[in-house]
Amino acid sequence: MSDILGVGIVGCGVVTVFDIIPNLLDTEVEQRIRLVAVADNLPNRAEEIADKFNIPKHYDSAEDLCQDKDVDIVVIATPVPSHLPNALSAIRSGKHIYIQKTMTLAVEEANTIIDAARKAGVKVAAAPGNHLRSRAMQEIRDHIREGKIGKICWGRAQRGARHEDDIRRQPGSELEHADPSWYYKPGGGPLRDAAVYDLHAITWILGPARRVVAMSGVSIPIRFWQSKEIKVEMDDNTHFILEFDNSCFFVISSHFIRGCSKVPSMEIYGDDGAIIYGGCATGSYELWVKGSGRNRLGFEEVLAHVGAPEISGAEAKGTNHYIVGDILHLADCVIKDKAPEISAEHARHVIEIIQGVYDSARSGKAVELKTSFNYQH
């Protein structure tokens, strides 16, 4: 096998056109992997994108792309409901696969991919892996493992957006035809689109969760994109609590409501300090520890460390972009025959949490979680 692996992309939507392709064509990236083909089931879409970016081949189906002998890795960047059939097409053709978040709709589908890949002897990497390349996240996990803030007791995270307002989908934009309706239909929703980042990150830091309890519903039942009315059929406002070992609880708010960039994206509290990540934090994160002074609330907090600002995902280029970083990681694992750190098993645990959130919201009861993954303490 050549040290430069061929990559084929299934799905030519917003993420592929704005995030994946431009970064795959970076000079440094092309020394390690080469984009050789794209596919999309919309008529002429793949051909249009191939012509625009000078990509050698284009196909109208995932099945045809997966048969291409020059493709070693298939990147699946389609809406979540079609991840399973596209992944199985790639596996049957002996291709290694990178699946955009969220890997599948259900745990059973994740098991199908994991079992099929194991039998075929191919590797699966599942997004998102941005926490693996984030200096801030690496440092945060190190601080926690070193006991800088004591026993972890609780935390919270929030994330949300309104895809119908995305400037890239408006008239005159290159992707004005990219209908965001699927985000608001069964299989979409803010958990699979947004909370998945926080779920991968916090379980990477704290390990597998034990159970979940949630409340969820539709807050904005009708939305508008350009002149089209979108009926919201998937919960757009979801809030839940995860329980980890040793009575550690984590609250996550995930929504398709307008957000606020000044609010921290993640907070982690221990009995000796706290870590504030993103949003109003100075730099990438702030590490607060217990000082010697006291006030009416107890010990005073001391700002012990400020993480250096990082390039945001939207601004990162080449190997700094998390999706391309994930694909490069998979390519390295293929060449060196090692297991990807962004594993399908980890993604399966996140999928079980998402299923558990919706089950809990409907039943009004906490849901026990059964899956796990190879967590490095």
Side-chain angles (χ1 to χ4, degrees):
M1 178 179 292
S2 170
D3 286 345
I4 300 180
L5 302 184
V7 174
I9 303 174
V10 177
C12 295
V14 171
V15 172
T16 294
V17 172
F18 281 93
D19 296 333
I20 302 179
I21 293 177
N23 288 287
L24 281 178
L25 298 179
D26 179 85
T27 303
E28 181 182 353
V29 173
E30 287 193 313
Q31 294 175 8
R32 299 169 61 186
I33 54 179
R34 190 68 52 83
L35 178 57
V36 297
V38 291
D40 198 285
N41 60 8
L42 287 177
N44 304 317
R45 179 62 179 158
E47 181 178 8
E48 173 189 331
I49 296 303
D51 289 345
K52 174 179 174 60
F53 291 101
N54 295 316
I55 300 167
K57 305 176 189 180
H58 57 84
Y59 298 98
D60 292 329
S61 73
E63 291 82 358
D64 289 341
L65 180 142
C66 291
Q67 294 296 321
D68 190 320
K69 61 181 178 57
D70 294 325
V71 172
D72 301 296
I73 293 173
V74 174
V75 174
I76 299 172
T78 58
V80 178
S82 61
H83 283 185
L84 176 63
N86 290 333
L88 293 179
S89 291
I91 291 170
R92 284 193 295 267
S93 299
K95 310 298 185 184
H96 307 282
I97 54 175
Y98 169 70
I99 310 178
Q100 250 300 308
K101 48 85 178 173
T102 300
M103 185 172 74
T104 60
L105 291 173
V107 169
E108 294 76 16
E109 293 183 350
N111 287 335
T112 298
I113 290 175
I114 291 169
D115 292 342
R118 184 181 298 116
K119 291 176 182 177
V122 299
K123 300 186 187 300
V124 179
N130 45 333
H131 52 279
L132 297 180
R133 273 162 291 283
S134 164
R135 183 173 67 252
M137 278 293 175
Q138 294 279 353
E139 291 180 5
I140 287 170
R141 189 164 79 158
D142 289 344
H143 291 321
I144 289 172
R145 291 183 171 185
E146 292 165 5
K148 295 284 183 64
I149 61 173
K151 175 185 179 293
I152 305 304
C153 299
W154 77 284
R156 61 187 172 197
Q158 68 87 28
R159 192 184 295 260
R162 290 180 65 149
H163 290 283
E164 67 271 27
D165 295 336
D166 188 334
I167 191 172
R168 299 172 297 181
R169 300 178 190 270
Q170 305 312 311
S173 173
E174 182 179 5
L175 289 177
E176 62 180 334
H177 67 282
D179 189 340
S181 296
W182 82 269
Y183 287 103
Y184 303 102
K185 305 299 181 184
L191 296 188
R192 296 185 178 98
D193 177 59
V196 61
Y197 292 104
D198 299 316
L199 288 171
H200 272 266
I202 199 60
T203 51
W204 176 72
I205 292 172
L206 299 180
R210 295 177 55 194
R211 61 177 179 165
V212 62
V213 64
M215 299 187 77
S216 183
V218 176
S219 291
I220 306 176
I222 301 294
R223 295 168 182 260
F224 296 91
W225 170 67
Q226 298 185 24
S227 60
K228 179 179 180 178
E229 179 179 293
I230 301 173
K231 181 180 179 181
V232 177
E233 301 173 36
M234 191 75 188
D235 290 359
D236 63 2
N237 193 9
T238 303
H239 306 263
F240 57 99
I241 303 174
L242 290 172
E243 180 184 4
F244 292 88
D245 289 336
N246 302 315
S247 297
C248 174
F249 304 99
F250 206 87
V251 182
I252 296 182
S253 296
S254 182
H255 54 81
F256 284 155
I257 317 298
R258 296 192 190 280
C260 176
S261 62
K262 300 300 181 183
V263 177
S265 55
M266 183 178 291
E267 304 163 68
I268 303 174
Y269 295 90
D271 61 351
D272 279 337
I275 293 172
I276 312 298
Y277 175 71
C280 62
T282 304
S284 290
Y285 72 94
E286 296 174 351
L287 170 64
W288 292 84
V289 298
K290 185 169 65 176
S292 58
R294 295 175 185 262
N295 56 33
R296 67 181 184 86
L297 299 177
F299 285 95
E300 293 179 342
E301 298 92 356
V302 175
L303 182 58
H305 180 77
V306 176
E310 296 185 291
I311 300 174
S312 71
E315 297 169 341
K317 300 297 181 184
T319 55
N320 289 322
H321 193 279
Y322 95 82
I323 297 177
V324 173
D326 287 352
I327 300 169
L328 287 168
H329 171 65
L330 174 58
D332 186 57
C333 290
V334 170
I335 291 171
K336 297 180 180 178
D337 192 23
K338 61 181 183 179
E341 291 185 60
I342 45 174
S343 70
E345 289 78 10
H346 190 177
R348 177 179 59 190
H349 183 64
V350 168
I351 292 162
E352 185 190 19
I353 292 173
I354 292 172
Q355 282 187 273
V357 168
Y358 290 127
D359 290 345
S360 173
R362 301 298 177 259
S363 69
K365 300 178 181 179
V367 173
E368 301 287 335
L369 302 171
K370 300 177 181 179
T371 64
S372 188
F373 59 95
N374 184 23
Y375 170 63
Q376 301 295 325
H377 293 274

